[in-house]
């Protein structure tokens, strides 16, 4: 559980929430303490100033402190403070608790005592006259002592406690809600990943039909689409692999069966090992050898390991040589094989052996599908930095729905798989791989009843000018 992505995601969210709440709580704590301290200082100054004003006004009216005790007691009850007023001789003329009246109050003197107890020590504030100076021209009419009800930190703590409780419970509620939301959202976010994991397991067990269903349009949705595309490619590759195994087995079975049959017949004395029998065995062995070579070439080409010996070659010469080699084969079927090159072509950067192989496969395929009296035309022309070579026949043509699969391994338009049309379904596939290895492309256009046209492109040799 501790290693699951959902748990780690929830733990990360929880840590972020705690850090955020702690930071907010700390900042509010500091701000609240500062505001409370400023408010208390302002209130204390206002309260003390009001008492000072009242005392100074009273003294200005009376010119002495007689009768001030009731007012001092009233202020002490009103503000909840111990208030002591002394005259210029430090004699207590007013005490909110009435204990020190008539005594001398010297809180700064260590020898001063009240009975057996030292007097309370309060901060003193000199009282100034409001109007006329007091008798004798003194600048002070007495001293005001007020004690704070509680220390500032303690009063702030009392006010801060309900605020702290509010934020504590609010923070806990926010954490609980955040955890619930994180749990729900994490399940929603991670559900496509879980589906990917399950589907990957199915693919690993060979079930290539499984796909990930994700309505997400973001990065996870893109990942699911890429995964499904990979699954499609794997399914297609697996289908082609199975077809390849079946097709190779099929192609090998016929010549091997023929060879085995001839050898058994010779062994049993049914067939004489004469020149005709040996020729038949040789033809079957040649077919097997050609199939093996084609499979090897295809495997190397698909793996990108096919070595090309690219040189500057005259494509017109290669076309003429290939057509000349195929003339006899075309003539036996009554087919006219012609070359149509009207302009001089530049040298091409190609492997002449491999391009001859491509051209041979295309011409051989055209001869196999062109009836007697038909025509096969091999043409070439330059297009910018490429030379386009085409093989056009007047055969039976290829249905439009078959063109997309025409270059697949062992694919045949003729599903009967007889040797009437020759070949074993690898020629066009090998031709495509060889052309693509040169950086070109190969295409086919066809119309049923009118014939087919195969074209491929090869690169022109780049002319390098010396400086």
């Amino acid at each position: 559980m501790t290693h699951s992505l959902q748990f780690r995601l929830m733990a990360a969210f929880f840590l972020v929430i705690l850090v955020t709440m702690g930071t907010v709580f700390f900042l509010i704590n500091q701000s609240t303490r500062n505001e409370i301290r400023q408010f208390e200082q302002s209130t204390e100054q206002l309260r003390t100033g009001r008492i000072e004003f009242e005392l100074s006004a009273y003294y200005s009216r009376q010119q002495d402190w007689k009768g001030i005790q009731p007012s001092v007691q009233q202020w002490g009850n009103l503000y909840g403070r111990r208030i002591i007023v002394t005259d210029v001789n430090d004699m207590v003329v007013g005490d909110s608790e009435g204990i020190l009246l008539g005594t001398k109050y010297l809180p700064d003197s260590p020898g001063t005592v009240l009975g057996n107890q030292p007097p309370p020590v309060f901060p003193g504030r000199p009282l100034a006259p409001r109007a006329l100076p007091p008798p004798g021209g003194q600048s002070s009419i007495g001293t005001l002592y007020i004690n704070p009800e509680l220390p500032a930190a303690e009063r702030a703590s009392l006010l801060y406690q309900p605020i702290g409780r509010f934020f504590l419970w609010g923070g806990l509620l926010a954490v609980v809600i955040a955890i619930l939301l994180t749990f729900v959202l994490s399940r929603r976010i991670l559900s496509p990943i879980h589906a990917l994991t399950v589907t990957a397991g199915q693919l690993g067990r060979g079930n290539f039909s499984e796909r990930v269903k994700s309505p997400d349009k973001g990065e996870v949705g893109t990942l699911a689409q890429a995964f499904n595309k990979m699954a499609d490619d794997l399914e297609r590759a697996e289908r082609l692999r199975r077809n390849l195994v079946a097709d190779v087995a099929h192609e090998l079975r016929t010549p091997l069966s023929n060879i085995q049959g001839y050898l058994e017949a010779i062994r049993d004395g049914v067939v004489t090992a004469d020149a005709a029998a040996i020729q038949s065995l040789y033809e079957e062995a040649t077919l097997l050898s050609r199939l093996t070579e084609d499979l090897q070439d295809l495997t190397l080409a698909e793996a990108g390991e096919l070595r090309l010996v690219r040189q500057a070659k005259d494509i017109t010469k290669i076309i003429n040589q290939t057509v000349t080699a195929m003339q006899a084969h075309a003539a036996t079927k009554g087919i006219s094989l012609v070359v149509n090159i009207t302009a001089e072509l530049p040298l091409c950067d190609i492997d002449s052996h491999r391009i001859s192989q491509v051209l041979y496969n295309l011409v051989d395929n055209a001869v196999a599908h062109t009836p007697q009296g038909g025509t096969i035309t091999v043409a070439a022309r330059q297009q910018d930095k490429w030379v386009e070579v085409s093989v056009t026949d007047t055969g039976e043509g290829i249905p439009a729905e078959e063109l997309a699969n025409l270059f697949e391994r062992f694919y045949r338009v003729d599903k009967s798989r007889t040797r009437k049309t020759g070949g074993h379904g690898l020629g066009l596939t090998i031709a495509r791989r060889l052309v693509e290895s040169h950086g070109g492309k190969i295409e086919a256009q066809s119309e049923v009843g009118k014939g087919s046209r195969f074209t491929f492109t090869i690169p022109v040799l780049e002319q390098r000018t010396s400086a």
Side-chain angles (χ1 to χ4, degrees), residues 148-357:
E149 182 179 8
L150 289 173
E154 188 175 350
R155 293 196 305 273
S157 176
L158 290 176
L159 184 59
Y160 178 71
Q161 285 179 1
I163 299 177
R165 286 194 298 270
F166 172 79
F167 276 100
L168 178 61
W169 288 108
L172 291 176
L173 180 61
V175 168
V176 172
I177 294 175
I179 290 176
L180 293 176
L181 289 176
T182 301
F183 179 77
V184 174
L185 292 177
S186 63
R187 287 180 62 89
R188 180 178 179 85
I189 293 172
L190 298 176
S191 59
I193 298 179
H194 176 70
L196 284 171
T197 304
V198 174
T199 305
Q202 293 292 330
L203 292 178
R205 288 189 288 270
N207 184 6
F208 296 99
S209 62
E210 288 292 323
R211 296 294 183 272
V212 179
K213 297 179 181 179
S214 175
D216 195 294
K217 302 298 182 183
E219 289 82 357
V220 177
T222 303
L223 176 62
Q225 293 177 3
F227 187 90
N228 289 337
K229 178 64 169 57
M230 180 192 70
D232 291 338
D233 294 340
L234 287 175
E235 184 178 20
R236 181 174 179 274
E238 177 63 14
R239 184 173 61 254
L240 291 176
R241 184 190 67 81
R242 292 176 180 176
N243 292 340
L244 174 62
V245 173
D247 290 334
V248 169
H250 177 86
E251 294 296 335
L252 293 176
R253 184 181 299 112
T254 301
L256 286 175
S257 297
N258 291 338
I259 292 174
Q260 183 180 9
Y262 270 110
L263 293 176
E264 289 178 354
I266 294 173
R267 182 194 62 185
D268 297 337
V270 177
V271 175
T272 304
D274 53 11
I278 293 175
Q279 180 63 30
S280 297
L281 290 173
Y282 176 77
E283 291 176 357
E284 299 296 342
T286 301
L287 182 60
L288 283 174
S289 177
R290 182 179 174 186
L291 175 59
T292 303
E293 291 176 358
D294 286 347
L295 284 172
Q296 183 180 16
D297 289 343
L298 181 59
T299 301
L300 292 175
E302 291 184 339
E305 297 178 357
L306 186 65
R307 294 184 58 185
L308 299 178
V309 183
R310 298 177 66 164
Q311 297 175 338
K313 294 293 181 179
D314 185 357
I315 186 62
T316 302
K317 182 178 179 180
I318 294 174
I319 292 174
N320 289 328
Q321 289 176 347
T322 304
V323 170
T324 300
M326 295 292 295
Q327 282 288 2
H329 180 48
T332 58
K333 294 189 62 176
I335 298 172
S336 176
L337 180 57
V338 298
V339 175
N340 182 15
I341 300 177
T342 58
E344 183 178 356
L345 298 176
L347 295 177
C348 296
D349 182 21
I350 57 175
D351 183 327
S352 59
H353 172 70
R354 296 302 183 180
I355 295 302
S356 297
Q357 186 178 355

Side-chain angles (χ1 to χ4, degrees), residues 351-377:
D351 183 327
S352 59
H353 172 70
R354 296 302 183 180
I355 295 302
S356 297
Q357 186 178 355
V358 172
L359 192 58
Y360 175 85
N361 284 338
L362 294 180
V363 174
D364 185 55
N365 185 70
V367 172
H369 293 86
T370 301
Q372 184 176 3
T375 302
I376 300 174
T377 303

